[in-house]
Amino acid sequence: MIHLPDAERAARASLREKELLGERKVRILSAVIHDHILTAMPVGSVTICRKYEPSLSSATIRNELSALEALGYLCQPHISAGRVPSHKAYRLYVDSLLHRGLEEQESDSIKAYLLSRVRQMDDVVSGAAQALSDLTHYTALVMVPRQLELRISCLQLVPMPGGMALLVIVTDGGIIRDSVIRISRSLDADALYAISRMLTERLAGRTVQQVQEMLREYSHLMDADGSVCQSIADLASQMARQTGTDTVAIGGSHNILKYPEFADVGKARAFMSALEDKEHLLSLLNRDSAPLSVRIGPELGVKGMEDCAMAAARYKAGPQAGTVSVIGPARMPYGKVLSILHAVGSALSELMGQ
């Protein structure tokens, strides 16, 4: 089980709320939530009686449903329809879930799947977003924090045909960049290995900005290797630009269209428009520091996502923390989604640290 001590305050509040409701109301509310998550349909007293509470009469269940509606936990789309959970009901459900603890997912299989999606060395973030989207069938977001003090771990030059070499730079934050560069034909594999080893010894532990300055000096002092140093400095400069701000990768942006809540064209268009506002999304992803968190409906504060929920987990990106998250309908199966997020976050922390 996954236990989260940071969720204790919310758990205590939800426990008091449940005590005020009483055991029977809590059971019936849980039944409505469970059935609505599965079917996306309003839930009536007959369904609850038949599937969840056969010992209670339909009349008793109807009375309890009316009471829960009056308390703000349920809504009734139409007079003749059953009830659907409100955002208040989902909040109570999620807080209780985090308090009880989450079931561990198959972390090894999730890690293997994540690695299978990361096909290129510089595709870790977008690969993770796509893997998370595939695993949950929701829209996935992976946020990488800015890394102003990113330090070089190692540097390698791999010979390629036609006077070219593959340049690979690895940092302490798990950020990897590669580039194909032109080199002197006089530099064979042994020479490239020697240059790689020498530069790694001199540059390891230094920031990307320091490396740029040092390499530009080396390029004026070295003959055959000068162009190599300049190419490395250029790649380091590119890394500095890319890691100087928080970035977010999105996977499965159109997954939301599979759900009946977004069959309306206007709602779907509003959601897609909200995804285009990267600054707002980054602000949202940076809002919570808890290991696992959930924001439901109005708690998101994003126009176009009023009927959505965002579940998120933190992961380690070198000395800082990033966020993996999914956005879906408010009726998402929170237990399963949070467990997957926890497993993906752990796998990404390990991957970024290697």
Side-chain angles (χ1 to χ4, degrees):
M1 296 287 286
I2 304 166
H3 293 282
L4 300 168
D6 290 352
E8 283 301 317
R9 184 182 300 174
R12 286 195 295 271
S14 70
L15 187 60
R16 288 194 297 272
E17 203 170 341
K18 281 185 170 184
E19 289 173 350
L20 290 172
L21 285 175
E23 182 186 350
R24 188 164 68 187
K25 282 186 176 65
V26 169
R27 290 202 324 267
I28 290 173
L29 180 60
S30 297
V32 174
I33 292 172
H34 179 74
D35 206 78
H36 187 63
I37 286 173
L38 290 176
T39 66
M41 299 294 291
V43 185
S45 58
V46 174
T47 298
I48 294 174
C49 182
R50 186 179 70 251
K51 294 173 63 175
Y52 303 99
E53 295 288 343
S55 63
L56 298 178
S57 68
S58 292
T60 298
I61 294 171
R62 279 196 299 273
N63 289 336
E64 295 289 28
L65 290 174
S66 296
L68 287 166
E69 183 179 359
L71 291 168
Y73 291 99
L74 298 177
C75 309
Q76 192 171 21
H78 308 289
I79 295 176
S80 60
R83 269 79 168 186
V84 298
S86 67
H87 295 135
K88 182 180 179 179
Y90 285 124
R91 171 49 58 196
L92 178 64
Y93 175 72
V94 169
D95 289 343
S96 300
L97 188 68
L98 292 174
H99 174 61
R100 292 198 307 269
L102 305 171
E103 294 294 332
E104 293 275 9
Q105 291 288 316
E106 293 292 333
S107 56
D108 288 342
S109 61
I110 288 177
K111 180 182 176 183
Y113 187 75
L114 177 63
L115 288 171
S116 73
R117 300 296 294 181
V118 181
R119 295 189 177 94
Q120 299 175 349
M121 284 183 291
D122 62 349
D123 197 35
V124 174
V125 178
S126 59
Q130 192 56 55
L132 183 54
S133 172
D134 292 345
L135 289 164
T136 61
H137 307 294
Y138 295 123
T139 298
L141 309 175
V142 177
M143 187 275 285
V144 180
R146 69 187 69 190
Q147 304 205 19
L148 299 177
E149 292 299 310
L150 208 60
R151 296 180 183 274
I152 300 296
S153 294
C154 70
L155 181 151
Q156 190 168 1
L157 290 160
V158 182
M160 296 178 66
M164 309 295 285
L166 176 66
L167 165 63
V168 182
I169 296 179
V170 184
T171 71
D172 62 348
I175 304 296
I176 303 170
R177 291 291 182 272
D178 61 61
S179 177
V180 176
I181 64 173
R182 186 170 296 282
I183 61 171
S184 169
R185 291 183 179 273
S186 64
L187 295 175
D188 58 14
D190 290 338
L192 290 176
Y193 173 77
I195 294 171
S196 301
R197 184 173 178 180
M198 179 270 291
L199 290 174
T200 295
E201 289 175 353
R202 296 188 184 187
L203 303 178
R206 299 185 183 273
T207 66
V208 173
Q209 286 87 346
Q210 291 172 332
V211 166
Q212 293 176 64
E213 297 168 6
M214 294 174 67
L215 286 169
R216 289 200 172 93
E217 292 179 12
Y218 291 163
S219 66
H220 297 300
L221 300 175
M222 304 167 72
D223 296 328
D225 306 337
S227 62
V228 173
C229 290
Q230 184 59 51
S231 296
I232 298 172
D234 291 342
L235 183 57
S237 177
Q238 178 187 336
M239 291 177 69
R241 290 194 302 272
Q242 292 173 340
T243 59
T245 58
D246 296 344
T247 57
V248 61
I250 301 177
S253 57
H254 290 84
N255 278 355
I256 200 76
L257 304 180
K258 301 174 184 175
Y259 298 95
E261 292 92 332
F262 291 85
D264 179 79
V265 174
K267 290 181 68 174
R269 187 180 291 120
F271 178 85
M272 300 304 293
S273 178
L275 285 183
E276 293 175 3
D277 189 348
K278 296 294 180 67
E279 287 189 14
H280 204 149
L281 289 178
L282 284 169
S283 173
L284 195 59
L285 291 166
N286 279 316
R287 202 178 294 174
D288 292 303
S289 59
L292 288 175
S293 61
V294 175
R295 288 185 175 273
I296 304 167
E299 296 171 358
L300 287 166
V302 179
K303 187 178 180 181
M305 294 186 179
E306 294 87 351
D307 294 325
C308 295
M310 173 186 277
R314 305 286 275 178
Y315 74 93
K316 292 291 292 179
Q320 295 172 283
T323 306
V324 292
S325 173
V326 296
I327 303 176
R331 64 178 181 89
M332 69 170 67
Y334 292 97
K336 179 180 179 181
V337 167
L338 288 167
S339 295
I340 291 174
L341 282 167
H342 181 269
V344 169
S346 298
L348 197 54
S349 295
E350 185 177 340
L351 188 62
M352 296 287 265
Q354 289 178 351

